[in-house]
Amino acid sequence: MMNPLPLCVFMLALSGCTTAQDIAFLLDGSGSVTPDQFNTMKTFVKNVTSALLEFDTLFAFVQYSTVTTIHVNFTQFNRTGFENQVDDIIQQNGGTNTASGIRTVVEDVFISSAGARPEANRILIVITDGQSNDASLYPTVTALADEKNITRYAIGVGNAFSNPLALAELNSIASSPNSTHVFTVGSFEALDLIATKLETSIIPTADVVVGMRLRVSSTKNLNETEIEEQVLKPFADKLRDQGITVAGIGLRKVYTVET
C-alpha cells in the first residue's frame, strides 16, 4: 500500500550565521509589467522577506520605471508590518530605467542616514522583465556598487531573456559569478520556484538547508505546526546536546510524495 511521505525543506541557522544583512529589493514598475504581475512580484518580495526575517536582516523596498521611488528604506522598515509596507507600493508604469534605479539604491539607500549598517553585508536584488532604456549606464553604476561592496542578484522574468542581448544585460547587473547571482524564470508566477535558492544564496554558508522525508501512517498526517513541534524542534535540541549552537530553525516547504 502506498503511504504519503511529506518532504519537508527547512532552514537551520547555525552559530556561524550571525552576520548582519541589509537587503534592498528593486522592483520593476515599468508599463510592460501588468498589474497582476506587479502584485505577484510583491508577493514574492514579501515571501523572501518573511523567510529571512528570523536572521539579523533589514530590508528596503524601491521601485524603478522612468523615475525611481524609495518606498521604504532600512530605517523605515517595519519587522511586524512589512507586508503592509509592500502592499502599499503602487505601480508607477512608465519606462525601464534599471541602471538609474540601481544608482539610486547605491547612493541613497545604502547609506547610514537611511539606516544601512556599516557592519552588515549589503545585498541588492533587482527584478526586471526586460532590457532597460539606460543600459549604457551599467558600467558606471555597477562600479559604484562594487566600491560599496554591494552584492547584486539579478532576476529576469519572462521570455525576453531568451534574447542573448537581454541575457547579457541581465548578467551585467549581477555580481560575479553569474552562475550564483543571476536567476531567470518564465513568468512572474514562477518566481516562487527560485525563492529558496535565492534565500540560501543570501544567508551565509554556515546555514544549512535540509530535506527530510518523514514517514507517517495513512491515518495521521502531520500538519506544518506538528512537523515543527514534533520533528524540527527535537532535531535542533539534539544538535544543541552535541554542542552545536542553533540560532533558529524554520519550516520552508512541505511536499507530498508517494512511496
Side-chain angles (χ1 to χ4, degrees):
M1 178 175 159
M2 303 284 281
N3 291 323
L5 288 176
L7 174 59
C8 302
V9 178
F10 60 94
M11 186 169 289
L12 185 66
L14 302 180
S15 57
C17 59
T18 56
T19 304
Q21 310 277 345
D22 288 349
I23 303 168
F25 283 96
L26 185 58
L27 287 71
D28 187 345
S30 63
S32 59
V33 178
T34 70
D36 285 345
Q37 291 171 337
F38 192 73
N39 285 332
T40 301
M41 188 188 337
K42 291 197 295 183
T43 298
F44 170 75
V45 169
K46 289 187 291 185
N47 288 344
V48 173
T49 301
S50 177
L52 300 179
L53 204 61
E54 64 196 83
F55 304 104
D56 186 4
T57 49
L58 288 177
F59 294 87
F61 307 121
V62 183
Q63 177 185 182
Y64 70 95
S65 58
T66 303
V67 298
T68 301
T69 301
I70 301 170
H71 295 282
V72 176
N73 64 26
F74 296 119
T75 298
Q76 296 164 334
F77 176 67
N78 187 327
R79 300 191 78 81
T80 59
F82 72 90
E83 290 187 336
N84 290 333
Q85 290 181 314
V86 176
D87 287 338
D88 287 343
I89 297 174
I90 304 300
Q91 184 178 1
Q92 295 174 165
N93 293 298
T96 309
N97 290 335
T98 316
S100 298
I102 294 171
R103 181 193 290 273
T104 296
V105 173
V106 171
E107 295 182 341
D108 299 329
V109 176
F110 283 107
I111 55 176
S112 59
S113 61
R117 298 170 291 180
E119 78 281 5
N121 290 335
R122 297 173 175 183
I123 308 292
L124 170 58
I125 302 170
V126 181
I127 307 173
T128 178
D129 78 335
Q131 291 176 268
S132 68
N133 303 131
D134 58 354
S136 63
L137 298 178
Y138 280 135
T140 300
V141 299
T142 55
L144 290 174
D146 287 337
E147 288 176 7
K148 284 192 170 183
N149 296 317
I150 298 170
T151 300
R152 302 175 306 281
Y153 292 88
I155 302 175
V157 184
N159 297 326
F161 299 99
S162 59
N163 180 322
L165 290 177
L167 183 59
E169 182 177 313
L170 191 70
N171 289 338
S172 72
I173 294 173
S175 297
S176 297
N178 290 152
S179 59
T180 56
H181 293 85
V182 175
F183 299 86
T184 57
V185 292
S187 67
F188 283 91
E189 290 72 22
L191 280 170
D192 277 346
L193 298 178
I194 65 167
T196 299
K197 186 175 181 180
L198 176 64
E199 294 159 16
T200 55
S201 295
I202 293 171
I203 293 299
T205 55
D207 298 343
V208 181
V209 173
V210 184
M212 290 184 62
R213 289 186 175 180
L214 311 172
R215 185 180 298 275
V216 296
S217 70
S218 58
T219 58
K220 181 182 179 183
N221 289 316
L222 299 178
N223 60 37
E224 293 188 8
T225 299
E226 291 169 333
I227 289 171
E228 288 195 355
E229 293 294 330
Q230 299 179 31
V231 180
L232 301 190
K233 288 183 179 179
F235 177 68
D237 288 340
K238 287 183 179 180
L239 291 178
R240 292 186 181 102
D241 290 342
Q242 297 175 31
I244 300 173
T245 301
V246 178
I249 189 167
L251 190 65
R252 286 294 174 266
K253 297 180 184 296
V254 178
Y255 307 92
T256 298
V257 297
E258 298 292 333
T259 187

